[in-house]
Amino acid sequence: MDKLHFSVLIDAPKEKVWDKMLEEKTYREWTETFGPGSHYKGDWNKGSRMMFLAPDPSGKMGGMVSRIAENRKYEYISIEHLGIIQNDIEDTSSEEAKKWAGIHENYTMKEKNGRTELLVDIEINEEEFKNMFRDMWPRALQKLKEMSEKQ
């Protein structure tokens, strides 16, 4: 398993960045990079089940079935993926779903002189997704930065 690391320095306090990152409306905006209509169902409390979704070209939902492994407000959140969603169907037992089971996405916020450094660490075991994520994540974080820095 490999890990990808991304970071962005945002000229805003970590509380504002956190809220922009996780609130439903603004989450939809900065995650648009990953797919039009990206959104989540669930809540961000530790132990909560989450579904990260986006419609495919036919309008059916696809995405990830996950749980919030850790949530330390304004500091750290860890998402553990449990499986996938394809064609509106949740799958945690197929070989494809098992490739994602146990994979984590971790978000760490560090405040530095009124600015926030957001660190994103993603485990990945699928070579085909590395280049895609290396392209998408910087663009998504730039969008989150722009949104957080607005007055």
Side-chain angles (χ1 to χ4, degrees), residues 103-129:
I103 297 287
H104 285 81
E105 286 183 35
N106 299 316
Y107 301 81
T108 305
M109 292 189 183
K110 297 179 179 181
E111 196 155 48
K112 296 182 174 188
N113 300 321
R115 300 170 83 188
T116 302
E117 181 181 28
L118 174 58
L119 306 165
V120 181
D121 295 297
I122 302 167
E123 297 173 340
I124 189 156
N125 59 11
E126 291 288 312
E127 191 68 33
E128 66 188 270
F129 291 106

Side-chain angles (χ1 to χ4, degrees), residues 12-51:
K14 63 184 181 179
E15 294 83 3
K16 184 175 183 183
V17 176
W18 180 274
D19 290 343
K20 293 289 182 187
M21 186 173 81
L22 301 182
E23 287 177 355
E24 186 176 357
K25 180 180 183 275
T26 50
Y27 176 90
R28 287 176 180 265
E29 291 178 42
W30 76 268
T31 61
E32 187 81 7
T33 300
F34 300 109
S38 290
H39 63 285
Y40 64 82
K41 288 186 180 179
D43 67 64
W44 295 101
N45 295 317
K46 182 178 178 177
S48 292
R49 180 182 170 82
M50 290 285 276
M51 293 191 300

Side-chain angles (χ1 to χ4, degrees), residues 8-13 16-17 20 115-116 142-151:
V8 64
L9 190 59
I10 302 171
D11 192 16
K16 184 175 183 183
V17 176
K20 293 289 182 187
R115 300 170 83 188
T116 302
Q142 181 61 36
K143 178 68 175 173
L144 180 60
K145 174 182 171 70
E146 292 167 6
M147 293 168 57
S148 299
E149 290 179 349
K150 283 184 181 176
Q151 294 299 331

